[in-house]
Amino acid sequence: MTYDSVRLSHEGEVATLTLAHPKGAFGPATWRDVPRALGDLGDARVLVVRGERHFSVGLDVAATAPVIGPALGNPEKFRAVVDEMHAAIEGLATLPVPVIAAIDGWCIGAGLELAAACDLRLCSASARFSLPEVKLGITADLGGLQRLPHLIGRGRAAHLALTGEPIDAQAAERWGLVTEVLEGAEALYARAQSLAAHLASLPPRALEGTKRTLQDGLPHAESLAAAVEWNARHMTADAMLSALKKA
């Protein structure tokens, strides 16, 4: 399926969302199209998110300025504009299926905040990551400052956010921002698809419960109790025996 700024394709139980803005940026259409595409996932059990050229070079400032400009100085109007962006990113984060970000080229600003909302991140050796909002006189407000400390630690998140300086793929792997670095784009996308196919072969309720528990943000004891309750509701002996036979 093709929308104004993204494309959604399916291969078996794996869906791929391609961020297809011609400049590699996120314009107003992106924030409308991503939720529409997520609503069309159907029976997909894993989602891969990728860019067409770069993963994302951040906001399309020229296209976004007419939307944001009239809201500046008015917190209520500004919040309404940003809420649409939040809905797209939070929609990815709260999907009941695993989401894999396959990152080639630049992953900047809003692009990094979107990637941080995915469950797994892979990148090519040429990938570069940056959260440059401070250089533009603004504070990142699409979830990056909330998610990145949990992914890479507060100190490294602060380094990215306070300096605005980029890091390369090797640093991203050392820091834990990505879990694998592939040689080039072709190898990256092939690996993302194979990983997605593997995840799609696993019991979906187990994946959903694991994702929920990783994200729940509850105190330790409450998170443990929630995981136990999930298993009590969804675990079956047949599924366990079937899994053991395949192992």
Side-chain angles (χ1 to χ4, degrees), residues 22 44 65 91 94 100 110 156 158 178 184 201 209 211 213:
T94 57
I100 301 170
R156 284 168 169 165
V178 301
S201 73
K211 177 170 178 170
T213 304

Side-chain angles (χ1 to χ4, degrees), residues 78 113 131-142 145-146 161:
F78 189 80
E113 296 186 276
L131 199 65
E133 280 82 350
V134 68
K135 292 184 174 182
L136 304 176
I138 61 176
T139 297
D141 60 2
L142 300 183
L145 298 182
Q146 289 69 39

Side-chain angles (χ1 to χ4, degrees), residues 5-6 19-21 23-31 34 49-51 54-64 85 89 108-115 142:
S5 64
V6 303
L19 308 168
H21 190 288
K23 298 178 182 177
F26 293 161
T30 306
W31 311 114
V34 168
V49 182
R50 54 165 290 181
H54 297 282
F55 184 82
S56 172
V57 297
L59 286 181
D60 182 339
V61 177
T64 304
M85 303 178 187
I89 293 179
I108 299 177
L112 179 52
E113 296 186 276
L114 185 147
L142 300 183

Side-chain angles (χ1 to χ4, degrees), residues 173-204:
E173 185 179 31
R174 289 197 307 273
W175 289 13
L177 181 58
V178 301
T179 53
E180 294 181 45
V181 177
L182 288 303
E183 186 59 33
E186 185 176 346
L188 166 67
Y189 298 137
R191 173 58 179 147
Q193 288 296 319
S194 68
L195 178 58
H198 169 67
L199 292 174
S201 73
L202 299 174

